[in-house]
Coordinates of all heavy atoms in Angstrom, one line a residue:
I1207 N -55.2 8.5 6.9 CA -54.8 9.7 7.5 C -53.4 9.7 8.0 O -52.6 10.6 7.9 CB -55.8 10.1 8.7 CG1 -57.2 10.3 8.1 CG2 -55.3 11.3 9.4 CD1 -58.3 10.5 9.1
S1208 N -53.0 8.6 8.7 CA -51.7 8.4 9.2 C -50.6 8.4 8.1 O -49.6 9.1 8.2 CB -51.6 7.1 10.0 OG -52.4 7.1 11.1
I1209 N -50.9 7.7 7.0 CA -49.9 7.6 5.9 C -49.8 8.9 5.2 O -48.6 9.4 4.9 CB -50.4 6.5 4.9 CG1 -50.2 5.1 5.5 CG2 -49.6 6.6 3.6 CD1 -50.7 4.0 4.6
L1210 N -50.9 9.6 5.0 CA -50.8 10.9 4.3 C -50.0 12.0 5.2 O -49.2 12.7 4.7 CB -52.2 11.5 3.9 CG -52.8 10.8 2.8 CD1 -54.2 11.3 2.6 CD2 -52.0 10.9 1.5
G1211 N -50.4 12.0 6.5 CA -49.8 13.0 7.4 C -48.3 12.7 7.5 O -47.5 13.6 7.4
L1212 N -47.9 11.4 7.7 CA -46.5 11.1 7.9 C -45.8 11.2 6.6 O -44.6 11.7 6.5 CB -46.4 9.6 8.4 CG -45.0 9.2 8.8 CD1 -44.4 10.0 9.8 CD2 -45.1 7.7 9.2
G1213 N -46.4 10.8 5.5 CA -45.8 10.9 4.2 C -45.4 12.3 3.7 O -44.3 12.5 3.2
I1214 N -46.3 13.2 3.9 CA -46.0 14.6 3.5 C -44.8 15.1 4.3 O -43.9 15.8 3.8 CB -47.3 15.5 3.7 CG1 -48.4 15.1 2.8 CG2 -46.9 17.0 3.6 CD1 -49.7 15.7 3.0
G1215 N -44.8 14.8 5.7 CA -43.7 15.3 6.5 C -42.4 14.6 6.1 O -41.4 15.3 5.9
L1216 N -42.4 13.3 5.8 CA -41.2 12.6 5.4 C -40.7 13.0 4.1 O -39.5 13.1 3.8 CB -41.4 11.1 5.5 CG -41.7 10.5 6.9 CD1 -41.8 9.0 6.7 CD2 -40.6 10.9 7.8
G1217 N -41.7 13.4 3.2 CA -41.3 13.8 1.8 C -40.6 15.2 1.9 O -39.5 15.4 1.2
C1218 N -41.0 16.1 2.8 CA -40.3 17.4 2.9 C -39.0 17.1 3.5 O -38.0 17.8 3.1 CB -41.2 18.3 3.8 SG -42.7 18.8 3.1
V1219 N -38.9 16.2 4.5 CA -37.6 15.9 5.1 C -36.6 15.4 4.1 O -35.4 15.7 4.0 CB -37.7 14.9 6.3 CG1 -36.4 14.5 6.8 CG2 -38.5 15.6 7.4
M1220 N -37.1 14.4 3.2 CA -36.3 13.8 2.2 C -35.8 14.9 1.2 O -34.6 14.8 0.8 CB -37.0 12.7 1.5 CG -37.0 11.4 2.2 SD -35.3 10.8 2.6 CE -34.6 10.8 1.0
L1221 N -36.6 15.8 0.8 CA -36.2 16.8 -0.1 C -35.0 17.6 0.5 O -34.0 17.9 -0.2 CB -37.4 17.8 -0.4 CG -38.3 17.5 -1.6 CD1 -39.4 18.4 -1.6 CD2 -37.5 17.5 -2.9
L1222 N -35.2 18.0 1.7 CA -34.1 18.9 2.3 C -32.9 18.0 2.5 O -31.7 18.6 2.4 CB -34.6 19.4 3.7 CG -35.7 20.5 3.6 CD1 -36.3 20.8 4.9 CD2 -35.2 21.7 2.9
L1223 N -33.0 16.8 2.9 CA -31.8 15.9 3.1 C -31.1 15.7 1.7 O -29.9 15.6 1.7 CB -32.2 14.6 3.8 CG -32.5 14.7 5.3 CD1 -32.8 13.3 5.8 CD2 -31.3 15.3 6.0
M1224 N -31.9 15.4 0.7 CA -31.3 15.2 -0.6 C -30.5 16.5 -1.1 O -29.4 16.4 -1.6 CB -32.4 14.9 -1.7 CG -33.0 13.6 -1.6 SD -34.5 13.4 -2.6 CE -33.9 13.7 -4.2
L1225 N -31.1 17.6 -0.8 CA -30.4 18.9 -1.1 C -29.1 19.0 -0.3 O -28.1 19.4 -0.8 CB -31.3 20.1 -0.9 CG -30.8 21.5 -1.2 CD1 -30.4 21.5 -2.7 CD2 -31.8 22.5 -0.9
A1226 N -29.2 18.7 1.0 CA -28.0 18.8 1.8 C -26.9 17.8 1.4 O -25.7 18.1 1.4 CB -28.4 18.5 3.3
I1227 N -27.4 16.6 1.1 CA -26.4 15.5 0.6 C -25.7 16.0 -0.7 O -24.5 15.8 -0.9 CB -27.1 14.2 0.4 CG1 -27.5 13.6 1.8 CG2 -26.3 13.2 -0.3 CD1 -28.4 12.4 1.7
Q1228 N -26.5 16.5 -1.6 CA -26.0 16.9 -2.9 C -25.0 18.1 -2.7 O -23.9 18.1 -3.2 CB -27.1 17.4 -3.8 CG -26.5 18.0 -5.1 CD -27.6 18.3 -6.2 OE1 -28.3 17.4 -6.6 NE2 -27.8 19.5 -6.5
E1229 N -25.4 19.1 -1.8 CA -24.5 20.2 -1.6 C -23.2 19.8 -1.0 O -22.1 20.4 -1.2 CB -25.2 21.2 -0.7 CG -26.4 21.9 -1.3 CD -26.0 23.0 -2.3 OE1 -25.6 24.0 -1.9 OE2 -26.1 22.7 -3.5
N1230 N -23.2 18.7 -0.2 CA -22.0 18.3 0.5 C -21.2 17.3 -0.3 O -20.2 16.8 0.2 CB -22.4 17.7 1.9 CG -21.2 17.7 2.9 OD1 -20.5 18.7 3.0 ND2 -21.0 16.5 3.5
S1231 N -21.6 17.0 -1.5 CA -20.9 15.9 -2.3 C -20.1 16.5 -3.4 O -19.5 15.7 -4.1 CB -22.0 15.0 -2.9 OG -22.8 15.6 -3.9
F1232 N -20.0 17.8 -3.6 CA -19.3 18.3 -4.7 C -17.9 17.9 -4.8 O -17.1 18.1 -3.8 CB -19.5 19.9 -4.8 CG -20.7 20.3 -5.5 CD1 -21.9 20.4 -4.8 CD2 -20.7 20.7 -6.8 CE1 -23.1 20.8 -5.4 CE2 -21.8 21.1 -7.5 CZ -23.0 21.1 -6.8
D1233 N -17.5 17.4 -5.9 CA -16.1 17.0 -6.3 C -15.6 15.8 -5.5 O -14.4 15.4 -5.6 CB -15.1 18.2 -6.1 CG -15.2 19.3 -7.2 OD1 -15.9 19.0 -8.2 OD2 -14.7 20.4 -7.0
R1234 N -16.5 15.2 -4.7 CA -16.1 14.0 -4.0 C -16.1 12.7 -4.9 O -15.8 11.7 -4.5 CB -16.9 13.8 -2.8 CG -16.7 14.9 -1.8 CD -17.6 14.7 -0.5 NE -17.5 15.9 0.3 CZ -16.6 16.1 1.3 NH1 -15.7 15.2 1.5 NH2 -16.6 17.2 2.0
F1235 N -16.6 12.9 -6.1 CA -16.6 11.8 -7.1 C -15.3 11.6 -7.7 O -15.0 10.6 -8.4 CB -17.7 12.1 -8.2 CG -17.2 13.3 -9.1 CD1 -16.5 13.0 -10.3 CD2 -17.6 14.6 -8.8 CE1 -16.1 14.1 -11.1 CE2 -17.2 15.6 -9.6 CZ -16.5 15.4 -10.7
I1236 N -14.4 12.6 -7.6 CA -13.0 12.5 -8.2 C -12.3 11.4 -7.6 O -12.2 11.3 -6.4 CB -12.3 13.9 -8.0 CG1 -13.0 15.0 -8.7 CG2 -10.9 13.8 -8.5 CD1 -12.5 16.4 -8.4
P1237 N -11.7 10.5 -8.4 CA -10.9 9.4 -7.8 C -9.8 10.0 -6.9 O -9.0 10.9 -7.3 CB -10.2 8.8 -9.1 CG -11.2 9.1 -10.2 CD -11.7 10.5 -9.9
N1238 N -9.7 9.4 -5.7 CA -8.7 9.8 -4.7 C -8.8 11.3 -4.5 O -7.8 12.0 -4.5 CB -7.3 9.4 -5.1 CG -7.2 7.9 -5.3 OD1 -7.6 7.1 -4.4 ND2 -6.6 7.5 -6.4

């Protein structure tokens, strides 16, 4: 119960953070 409850919450958090990280990373791969 603890793993499922915490895992679902952390999964939603990771999805939103991945989206935020990707949105904030545009064109930062360009050398210098």
Side-chain angles (χ1 to χ4, degrees):
I1207 294 173
S1208 297
I1209 288 177
L1210 286 177
L1212 185 59
I1214 292 172
L1216 293 184
C1218 294
V1219 172
M1220 277 305 303
L1221 267 175
L1222 293 171
L1223 286 181
M1224 286 169 59
L1225 185 57
I1227 290 170
Q1228 175 173 297
E1229 291 286 285
N1230 201 46
S1231 69
F1232 272 82
D1233 286 346
R1234 296 179 187 272
F1235 68 92
I1236 297 174
N1238 300 313

